[in-house]
Amino acid sequence: MKIRLGNFAEVCALHNQIPELAPIASSDYFSTRIGESNYLLLVCELDGRAVAYKLGYWTGAEYFYSWLGGVHPNYRQRGIAKALLLEQEAQVCELGAKEIRVKSMNQYTSMLLMLISQGYEITGAGPNAKGEVKIQFAKKLSD
């Protein structure tokens, strides 16, 4: 398993192979959402093939929002999502983040369990623009 920095074009193609995620038309979707914020886009490769990604961006000098990610269905249950999460935490902590924030939904049970098992705490819940309930998590990285 190799974790490296990725680019929006390759992640767009991978994203559209993950059935739980809403398809996106082009890589412009990512840059439009992130805007001018600094971001971190990690890709996991197995045997030279991109099989998973994790994308987040800074929402202030000390806060990082872990926004989007997924693992291709053929490569699940191998610890890839956890490896990406831990790598994201390490890199943003090194860059000065004090806290990572993330949102998820009940239908992503594996994600919820992973977040809780890695020390993320539920900080709230509420509907998004589509009326779906999003559960908000945060993890302090340093004091």
Side-chain angles (χ1 to χ4, degrees):
M1 179 183 328
K2 175 184 176 185
I3 296 177
R4 61 170 173 78
L5 296 177
N7 64 66
F8 292 151
E10 75 174 323
V11 166
C12 182
L14 174 59
H15 176 97
N16 288 331
Q17 295 174 36
I18 301 172
E20 298 86 358
L21 302 178
I24 56 175
S26 81
S27 59
D28 292 342
Y29 173 76
F30 299 116
S31 53
T32 299
R33 166 69 185 259
I34 293 169
E36 297 297 317
S37 298
N38 288 327
Y39 66 90
L40 177 63
L41 174 53
L42 299 173
V43 171
C44 178
E45 280 185 6
L46 286 176
D47 301 321
R49 178 179 180 193
V51 299
Y53 79 97
K54 191 144 189 70
L55 172 61
Y57 56 91
W58 293 88
T59 59
E62 298 180 345
Y63 300 101
F64 188 83
Y65 179 62
S66 183
W67 171 39
L68 199 53
V71 178
H72 189 284
N74 295 345
Y75 297 91
R76 293 181 181 165
Q77 302 303 314
R78 300 183 190 194
I80 294 170
K82 183 178 176 181
L84 282 167
L85 177 77
L86 294 175
E87 182 63 23
Q88 182 183 65
E89 286 179 9
Q91 287 199 28
V92 301
C93 185
E94 189 174 305
L95 294 170
K98 303 290 186 219
E99 184 175 277
I100 293 184
R101 297 171 179 169
V102 63
K103 295 177 186 173
S104 192
M105 296 187 287
N106 274 339
Q107 67 219 48
Y108 303 125
T109 307
S110 295
M111 178 68 169
L112 299 174
L113 294 173
M114 182 180 68
L115 289 169
I116 291 167
S117 74
Q118 295 305 306
Y120 286 76
E121 296 181 1
I122 296 172
T123 58
N128 64 10
K130 299 176 187 173
E132 303 163 319
V133 176
K134 294 271 190 158
I135 303 165
Q136 301 157 10
F137 293 85
K139 180 177 182 178
K140 299 230 183 285
L141 297 177
S142 60
D143 295 324

